[in-house]
Amino acid sequence: MKSSHHQQPTNTNPNTMSSSSSTLFISSLIILWYSSNIGVLLLNKYLLSNYGFRFPIFLTMCHMSACAILSYLSIVFFKIVPLQAVKSRNQLLKIATLSVVFCGSVVGGNISLRYLPVSFNQAVGATTPFFTAVFAYLMTFKREAWVTYAALVPVVTGVIIASGGEPSFHLFGFIMCISATAARAFKSVLQGILLSSEGEKLNSMNLLLYMSPIAVLVLLPAALIMEPNVLEVALSLGREHKYMWLLLILNSTMAYSANLSNFLVTKHTSALTLQVLGNAKGAVAFVISLFIFRNPVTAIGIGGYTMTVSGVVAYGETKRRFR
């Protein structure tokens, strides 16, 4: 029997519902991206400088091991993205090349954190667009408008000023940090060249799935040769501090979470949004690290860093306008 009374229509607009839930979803992704990125950076600094775990290569290997295991689970079991197969030996060789460059950038960044405060590390890291533009020009002869290159002048000048005003400046740490930044830019340009053909394109999650195990194979012998007492020190630290292994696991999981959330933010927003958010992320990490580690900064240092970030913003804007 049908009921005679009709249900009252509700006033909820499905479009409003979906737009507010998508805003909430994207906001959550951005918060996850920021917290995992900044969290990994601060934990790296804490472990490498304040905690006595002075093994940047082994730490990077832990990160890569977590990325290998969690990428496999995310793609093969949870099917976050479809699994893309490696089609040829040539493609595998290209992925291995990217993996080695990526290892170099992460290890260099972690070594620099032993000697430099996070705030200064972020200031140097902000010069990535400068190195990207240089490598893109040298490797692909891709030219930008002269206004775009002009915007890179304050990017570099700011870091030179910040270096002069940095009380905790350490030359070796600075060289490592600049090398890591250059390697990161080189990897992004190289990735564009190597995996540019339609048949070889991999999304960043699949690329991470194939790059991580190769990175572990490269880093394991490097850690054993260059950090020979890593296991005994790690075990004795683990016995001494009950949270040591928990910190290491949390740190490695955050490293994967930073990659996953970066991919998802890229997928659900635009490249420009990502660039703006990335610039802001460096500034947020800069401020948080000052509160946590209380490293001394000078007005000159902050002025230099502000100049660098302004240059990066101007560079992104001119690149978009003169495309």
Side-chain angles (χ1 to χ4, degrees), residues 235-248:
L235 289 169
S236 78
L237 272 173
R239 280 193 293 271
E240 204 179 314
H241 308 277
K242 55 179 176 180
Y243 296 120
M244 173 33 217
W245 295 107
L246 189 67
L247 280 178
L248 209 53

Side-chain angles (χ1 to χ4, degrees), residues 108-176:
N110 284 344
I111 291 172
S112 79
L113 282 172
R114 269 192 64 184
Y115 302 98
L116 298 176
V118 173
S119 51
F120 186 57
N121 177 284
Q122 286 299 287
V124 177
T127 60
T128 306
F130 167 75
F131 289 104
T132 309
V134 170
F135 287 129
Y137 180 72
L138 293 175
M139 293 162 71
T140 63
F141 304 111
K142 181 171 165 267
R143 292 183 187 200
E144 304 284 354
W146 68 269
V147 189
T148 310
Y149 288 122
L152 289 170
V153 175
V155 173
V156 179
T157 312
V159 164
I160 294 168
I161 293 170
S163 306
E166 175 54 56
S168 320
F169 185 82
H170 188 286
L171 185 62
F172 177 68
F174 178 70
I175 291 167
M176 281 286 121

